[in-house]
Amino acid sequence: MNGPRAEAPPAVSRRRALGSVVAGTFGAAAVASMPNAQAAPARAQQSAPSGTYRIDLHAHFLPPDYRAALLDHGHLTIGGYPTPQWSPEAAVAFMDYYGIQAQALSVSDPGVSFLTGKEASDMARYCNTYAAGLLRSNPARFGAFAVLPMPDIAASITESIYALDELHLDGVILLSAYDGVYLGDPRFEPLMIALNQRNAYVFVHPAAIPDAAKPKLPLPDFLEEFTFDTTRAATMMMVTGMTQRYPNIRFQLAHAGGTVPFLSWRISVASQTVLGELWPQDLPKPSVLDMKNQISRFYYDTALSGSAAAMAGVLAVTNRDHIVFGSDWPFSALTLPQSGSHDPAPGLSDIFDADQRMEVEHHNPLRQLPRLAAAVNS
């Protein structure tokens, strides 16, 4: 685990995304205008573990035919970020440089939902079979979450059974919503039954909101909208009872749960407001304590959230054993340290010591993915 470091992987050969420009411009202006921006002293940064030990549960891949199909259908950006290049070799170089022992790969938004019918099913099978090949050829470096041909529920059940039972992938990835229908909706119940029967690990990733349904702001979706959509999905899964009905499914929320930790109290008191009086008779009416319990049962990844502020929020709603490491690579390439640091998330040391970082970045992820754990530890 303490082998030599690789050279820095090549930078993304594209212009900086609009989001990084906007975030840099507006972010600097906002901080400069805050009268108390320097009022709270920062906690002294602690040492991080050394070596190649991290297990990355939020990492994306774009197999060749999948990326070509995205571009052919006009998906030149994903969430406002230019659709990146990806290869197994580049992934290994990235992992070696940033001390990542293994990545659980997944297809990001829009999944295969830009296709329909047999084309969607065939593309999902292609991506999952491609991932299974990586697991066979390099089982200690790669895991994978299966993409499903959503919103076709019947086809998605078939593909989830094949991916989990036959290809032995480590879980599945679901987007926060499909065609504007959020997880938690009753039409997803048959799929949840199949996943619950298999004790599946489910990575919930945000989806881009249709242009007609979001504010007209000069900001890319990945900057803010993605976090809000994760929150909408998690809330709907809780208030409709989905997370109660399927306790064998472990749900990982991307990007530290979006805004779920910050809004946890507001979400939990919903049943005490007028909303509680209008609660459907066929759904269990959640209590404050029950909602707190459901929020605490989610798993929260550190992708694009490696800061004391984000992690303190997560620790306020769950235990540290429900936090897992995520890099969001290759979409996070422009945000990663490029000045010789081999730590992909140095901000985690503002709140975690070395032993705690080892728990979050290594032990917690492996506890959830037994196949990958066995491969890594063999």
Coordinates of all heavy atoms in Angstrom, one line a residue, residues 220-275:
P220 N -23.8 26.3 -14.3 CA -23.9 24.9 -14.7 C -24.6 24.1 -13.6 O -24.5 24.4 -12.4 CB -22.5 24.4 -14.9 CG -21.7 25.3 -14.0 CD -22.4 26.6 -14.0
D221 N -25.3 23.0 -14.0 CA -26.0 22.2 -13.0 C -25.2 21.6 -11.9 O -25.6 21.5 -10.8 CB -26.7 21.1 -13.8 CG -28.0 21.5 -14.6 OD1 -28.4 22.7 -14.4 OD2 -28.5 20.7 -15.4
F222 N -23.9 21.3 -12.2 CA -23.1 20.6 -11.2 C -22.8 21.5 -10.0 O -22.5 21.0 -9.0 CB -21.8 20.0 -11.8 CG -20.7 21.0 -12.1 CD1 -19.9 21.4 -11.1 CD2 -20.6 21.6 -13.3 CE1 -18.8 22.3 -11.3 CE2 -19.5 22.5 -13.6 CZ -18.7 22.8 -12.5
L223 N -22.9 22.8 -10.3 CA -22.5 23.7 -9.2 C -23.5 23.7 -8.0 O -23.1 23.6 -6.9 CB -22.4 25.1 -9.8 CG -21.5 26.1 -9.1 CD1 -20.1 25.6 -9.1 CD2 -21.6 27.5 -9.7
E224 N -24.8 23.8 -8.3 CA -25.8 23.8 -7.3 C -27.0 22.9 -7.5 O -27.4 22.2 -6.6 CB -26.4 25.2 -7.1 CG -25.3 26.2 -6.6 CD -25.9 27.6 -6.5 OE1 -27.0 27.9 -7.1 OE2 -25.3 28.5 -5.9
E225 N -27.5 22.9 -8.8 CA -28.7 22.1 -9.0 C -28.6 20.6 -8.7 O -29.5 20.0 -8.3 CB -29.1 22.3 -10.5 CG -29.6 23.7 -10.8 CD -30.8 24.2 -10.0 OE1 -31.6 23.4 -9.6 OE2 -30.9 25.4 -9.7
F226 N -27.4 20.1 -9.0 CA -27.2 18.6 -8.7 C -27.4 18.3 -7.2 O -28.1 17.3 -6.9 CB -25.8 18.2 -9.1 CG -25.7 17.7 -10.5 CD1 -26.7 17.8 -11.4 CD2 -24.5 17.0 -10.9 CE1 -26.6 17.3 -12.7 CE2 -24.4 16.5 -12.2 CZ -25.4 16.7 -13.1
T227 N -27.0 19.2 -6.3 CA -27.1 19.0 -4.9 C -28.6 19.1 -4.5 O -29.1 18.3 -3.7 CB -26.3 20.0 -4.1 OG1 -26.8 21.3 -4.3 CG2 -24.9 19.9 -4.5
F228 N -29.3 20.0 -5.1 CA -30.8 20.1 -4.8 C -31.5 18.9 -5.3 O -32.5 18.5 -4.6 CB -31.3 21.4 -5.5 CG -30.6 22.7 -5.1 CD1 -30.6 23.8 -6.0 CD2 -30.0 22.8 -3.9 CE1 -30.0 24.9 -5.6 CE2 -29.4 24.0 -3.5 CZ -29.3 25.1 -4.4
D229 N -31.2 18.4 -6.5 CA -31.9 17.2 -7.0 C -31.7 16.0 -6.1 O -32.6 15.2 -6.0 CB -31.6 17.0 -8.4 CG -32.8 16.7 -9.3 OD1 -33.8 17.4 -9.1 OD2 -32.8 15.7 -10.0
T230 N -30.5 15.8 -5.6 CA -30.2 14.7 -4.7 C -31.1 14.8 -3.5 O -31.7 13.8 -3.0 CB -28.8 14.7 -4.3 OG1 -27.9 14.4 -5.4 CG2 -28.5 13.6 -3.3
T231 N -31.3 16.0 -3.0 CA -32.1 16.3 -1.8 C -33.6 16.0 -2.1 O -34.2 15.3 -1.3 CB -32.0 17.8 -1.4 OG1 -30.6 18.1 -1.2 CG2 -32.8 18.0 -0.1
R232 N -34.0 16.3 -3.3 CA -35.4 16.0 -3.6 C -35.7 14.5 -3.7 O -36.7 14.0 -3.2 CB -35.8 16.6 -5.0 CG -35.7 18.2 -5.0 CD -36.1 18.7 -6.4 NE -36.0 20.1 -6.5 CZ -35.0 20.8 -7.1 NH1 -34.0 20.1 -7.7 NH2 -34.9 22.1 -7.1
A233 N -34.7 13.8 -4.3 CA -34.9 12.4 -4.4 C -34.9 11.7 -3.0 O -35.7 10.9 -2.6 CB -33.8 11.8 -5.2
A234 N -33.9 12.1 -2.1 CA -33.8 11.5 -0.8 C -35.1 11.8 0.0 O -35.6 11.0 0.7 CB -32.6 12.1 -0.1
T235 N -35.6 13.0 -0.1 CA -36.8 13.4 0.7 C -38.0 12.6 0.2 O -38.7 12.1 1.0 CB -37.1 14.9 0.5 OG1 -35.9 15.7 0.9 CG2 -38.3 15.3 1.3
M236 N -38.1 12.4 -1.1 CA -39.3 11.7 -1.6 C -39.2 10.2 -1.2 O -40.2 9.6 -0.9 CB -39.4 11.8 -3.1 CG -39.8 13.2 -3.6 SD -41.3 13.7 -2.9 CE -42.5 12.5 -3.6
M237 N -38.0 9.7 -1.2 CA -37.8 8.3 -0.8 C -38.2 8.1 0.7 O -38.7 7.0 1.0 CB -36.3 7.9 -1.0 CG -35.9 7.7 -2.5 SD -34.1 7.8 -2.7 CE -33.6 6.3 -1.8
M238 N -37.9 9.1 1.5 CA -38.3 9.0 2.9 C -39.8 9.2 3.2 O -40.4 8.4 3.9 CB -37.4 10.0 3.7 CG -36.0 9.6 3.8 SD -35.0 10.7 4.9 CE -35.0 12.2 4.0
V239 N -40.3 10.3 2.6 CA -41.7 10.6 2.9 C -42.7 9.6 2.3 O -43.8 9.5 2.8 CB -42.1 12.1 2.5 CG1 -41.2 13.1 3.2 CG2 -42.0 12.3 1.0
T240 N -42.3 8.9 1.2 CA -43.2 7.9 0.7 C -43.0 6.5 1.3 O -43.6 5.6 1.0 CB -43.0 7.8 -0.8 OG1 -41.6 7.4 -1.1 CG2 -43.3 9.1 -1.6
G241 N -42.0 6.5 2.3 CA -41.8 5.2 3.0 C -40.9 4.2 2.3 O -40.7 3.1 2.7
M242 N -40.3 4.6 1.1 CA -39.5 3.7 0.4 C -38.3 3.2 1.2 O -38.0 2.0 1.2 CB -39.0 4.3 -0.9 CG -38.1 3.4 -1.8 SD -37.7 4.1 -3.4 CE -39.3 3.8 -4.3
T243 N -37.7 4.1 1.9 CA -36.5 3.7 2.7 C -36.9 2.8 3.9 O -36.0 2.1 4.4 CB -35.7 4.9 3.2 OG1 -36.6 5.8 3.8 CG2 -35.0 5.6 2.0
Q244 N -38.1 2.9 4.3 CA -38.6 2.0 5.4 C -39.0 0.6 4.8 O -38.7 -0.4 5.5 CB -39.8 2.6 6.1 CG -39.5 3.9 6.8 CD -40.8 4.6 7.3 OE1 -41.7 4.9 6.5 NE2 -40.9 4.8 8.6
R245 N -39.6 0.6 3.6 CA -40.1 -0.7 3.1 C -39.0 -1.6 2.6 O -39.2 -2.8 2.5 CB -41.1 -0.4 1.9 CG -42.4 0.1 2.4 CD -43.4 0.1 1.3 NE -43.0 1.0 0.1 CZ -43.2 2.3 0.1 NH1 -43.8 2.9 1.2 NH2 -42.9 3.0 -0.9
Y246 N -37.8 -1.0 2.3 CA -36.7 -1.8 1.7 C -35.5 -1.6 2.5 O -34.5 -1.0 2.1 CB -36.6 -1.4 0.2 CG -37.8 -1.6 -0.5 CD1 -38.5 -0.4 -1.0 CD2 -38.4 -2.8 -0.7 CE1 -39.7 -0.6 -1.6 CE2 -39.6 -2.9 -1.4 CZ -40.3 -1.8 -1.8 OH -41.5 -1.9 -2.5
P247 N -35.5 -2.1 3.8 CA -34.3 -1.9 4.7 C -33.0 -2.6 4.2 O -32.0 -2.2 4.8 CB -34.8 -2.4 6.0 CG -35.9 -3.5 5.6 CD -36.5 -2.9 4.4
N248 N -33.1 -3.6 3.3 CA -31.9 -4.3 2.9 C -31.1 -3.5 1.9 O -30.0 -3.8 1.6 CB -32.3 -5.6 2.3 CG -32.9 -6.5 3.4 OD1 -32.6 -6.4 4.6 ND2 -33.7 -7.5 2.9
I249 N -31.7 -2.4 1.3 CA -31.0 -1.6 0.3 C -30.2 -0.5 1.1 O -30.8 0.2 2.0 CB -32.0 -0.9 -0.7 CG1 -32.8 -2.0 -1.4 CG2 -31.2 0.0 -1.6 CD1 -33.8 -1.3 -2.4
R250 N -28.9 -0.4 0.8 CA -28.1 0.7 1.4 C -28.0 1.7 0.3 O -27.4 1.5 -0.8 CB -26.8 0.1 1.8 CG -26.8 -0.8 3.0 CD -25.7 -1.9 2.9 NE -25.9 -2.8 1.8 CZ -24.8 -3.2 1.1 NH1 -23.6 -2.9 1.4 NH2 -25.1 -4.0 0.0
F251 N -28.4 2.9 0.6 CA -28.4 4.0 -0.4 C -27.3 5.0 -0.1 O -27.2 5.5 1.0 CB -29.8 4.8 -0.3 CG -31.0 4.1 -0.8 CD1 -31.9 3.5 0.1 CD2 -31.2 3.9 -2.2 CE1 -33.0 2.8 -0.4 CE2 -32.3 3.2 -2.7 CZ -33.2 2.7 -1.7
Q252 N -26.5 5.2 -1.1 CA -25.4 6.2 -1.0 C -25.8 7.5 -1.7 O -26.2 7.4 -2.9 CB -24.1 5.7 -1.6 CG -23.0 6.7 -1.7 CD -21.8 6.2 -2.5 OE1 -21.5 5.0 -2.5 NE2 -21.1 7.1 -3.3
L253 N -25.8 8.6 -1.0 CA -26.2 9.9 -1.6 C -24.9 10.6 -2.0 O -24.0 10.8 -1.3 CB -26.9 10.8 -0.6 CG -28.2 10.2 0.0 CD1 -28.9 11.2 0.9 CD2 -29.2 9.8 -1.1
A254 N -24.9 11.1 -3.3 CA -23.8 11.7 -3.8 C -23.5 13.1 -3.2 O -24.5 13.7 -2.6 CB -23.9 11.9 -5.3
H255 N -22.3 13.5 -3.2 CA -21.9 14.9 -2.8 C -22.4 15.3 -1.4 O -23.1 16.3 -1.2 CB -22.5 15.9 -3.8 CG -22.2 15.6 -5.3 ND1 -23.2 15.3 -6.2 CD2 -21.0 15.3 -5.9 CE1 -22.6 15.0 -7.3 NE2 -21.3 15.0 -7.2
A256 N -22.1 14.4 -0.5 CA -22.4 14.6 1.0 C -23.9 14.8 1.2 O -24.4 15.5 2.1 CB -21.7 15.8 1.5
G257 N -24.7 14.1 0.3 CA -26.2 14.2 0.4 C -26.8 15.4 -0.1 O -28.0 15.7 0.2
G258 N -26.1 16.2 -0.9 CA -26.7 17.4 -1.4 C -26.9 18.4 -0.3 O -25.9 18.7 0.4
T259 N -28.1 18.7 -0.1 CA -28.4 19.6 1.1 C -29.2 18.9 2.2 O -29.8 19.6 3.0 CB -29.2 20.9 0.6 OG1 -30.5 20.4 0.0 CG2 -28.4 21.7 -0.4
V260 N -29.2 17.6 2.1 CA -30.0 16.8 3.1 C -29.5 17.2 4.6 O -30.4 17.4 5.4 CB -29.9 15.3 2.9 CG1 -30.4 14.5 4.0 CG2 -30.7 15.0 1.6
P261 N -28.2 17.2 4.9 CA -27.8 17.5 6.2 C -28.3 18.8 6.7 O -28.8 19.0 7.8 CB -26.3 17.4 6.2 CG -26.0 16.4 5.1 CD -27.1 16.7 4.1
F262 N -28.2 19.9 5.8 CA -28.6 21.2 6.2 C -30.1 21.3 6.4 O -30.5 22.0 7.3 CB -28.1 22.2 5.1 CG -28.5 23.6 5.4 CD1 -27.8 24.4 6.2 CD2 -29.6 24.2 4.7 CE1 -28.2 25.7 6.5 CE2 -30.0 25.5 5.0 CZ -29.3 26.3 5.8
L263 N -30.8 20.6 5.6 CA -32.3 20.7 5.7 C -32.9 19.6 6.6 O -34.1 19.4 6.6 CB -32.9 20.6 4.3 CG -32.6 21.7 3.3 CD1 -33.1 21.4 1.9 CD2 -33.1 23.0 3.8
S264 N -32.1 18.8 7.3 CA -32.6 17.7 8.0 C -33.7 18.0 9.0 O -34.7 17.3 9.1 CB -31.5 17.0 8.7 OG -30.8 17.8 9.6
W265 N -33.6 19.1 9.7 CA -34.6 19.5 10.7 C -35.9 19.9 10.0 O -37.0 19.5 10.4 CB -34.1 20.7 11.6 CG -35.1 21.0 12.7 CD1 -35.2 20.4 13.9 CD2 -36.1 22.0 12.6 NE1 -36.3 21.0 14.6 CE2 -36.8 22.0 13.8 CE3 -36.4 23.0 11.6 CZ2 -37.8 22.9 14.1 CZ3 -37.5 23.9 11.9 CH2 -38.2 23.8 13.1
R266 N -35.8 20.7 8.9 CA -36.9 21.1 8.2 C -37.7 19.9 7.6 O -38.9 19.9 7.6 CB -36.6 22.1 7.1 CG -36.0 23.4 7.5 CD -35.4 24.2 6.4 NE -36.5 24.7 5.5 CZ -36.9 26.0 5.5 NH1 -36.3 26.9 6.3 NH2 -37.8 26.4 4.7
I267 N -36.9 19.0 7.1 CA -37.6 17.8 6.5 C -38.3 17.0 7.6 O -39.4 16.5 7.4 CB -36.5 16.9 5.8 CG1 -35.9 17.6 4.6 CG2 -37.1 15.6 5.3 CD1 -34.7 17.0 4.0
S268 N -37.6 16.9 8.7 CA -38.2 16.0 9.8 C -39.4 16.6 10.4 O -40.2 15.8 11.0 CB -37.1 15.8 10.9 OG -36.8 17.0 11.6
V269 N -39.6 17.9 10.4 CA -40.8 18.5 11.0 C -42.0 18.6 10.0 O -43.0 19.1 10.4 CB -40.5 19.8 11.6 CG1 -39.5 19.7 12.7 CG2 -40.1 20.9 10.6
A270 N -41.8 18.1 8.8 CA -42.9 18.2 7.8 C -44.2 17.7 8.3 O -45.3 18.3 8.0 CB -42.5 17.5 6.5
S271 N -44.2 16.5 9.0 CA -45.4 15.9 9.4 C -46.1 16.7 10.5 O -47.3 16.4 10.8 CB -45.2 14.5 9.9 OG -44.3 14.5 11.0
Q272 N -45.4 17.7 11.1 CA -46.0 18.5 12.2 C -46.7 19.7 11.7 O -47.3 20.5 12.4 CB -45.0 18.8 13.2 CG -44.4 17.6 14.0 CD -43.4 18.0 15.0 OE1 -42.8 19.1 15.0 NE2 -43.1 17.1 16.0
T273 N -46.5 20.0 10.4 CA -47.1 21.2 9.7 C -48.4 20.8 9.1 O -48.9 19.7 9.2 CB -46.1 21.7 8.7 OG1 -46.0 20.8 7.6 CG2 -44.7 22.0 9.3
V274 N -48.9 21.8 8.3 CA -50.2 21.5 7.6 C -50.0 20.3 6.6 O -51.0 19.7 6.3 CB -50.6 22.8 6.9 CG1 -49.6 23.1 5.7 CG2 -52.0 22.6 6.3
L275 N -48.7 20.1 6.2 CA -48.5 19.0 5.3 C -48.9 17.7 6.0 O -49.5 16.8 5.3 CB -47.0 18.9 5.0 CG -46.6 17.8 4.0 CD1 -47.3 17.9 2.7 CD2 -45.0 17.8 3.8

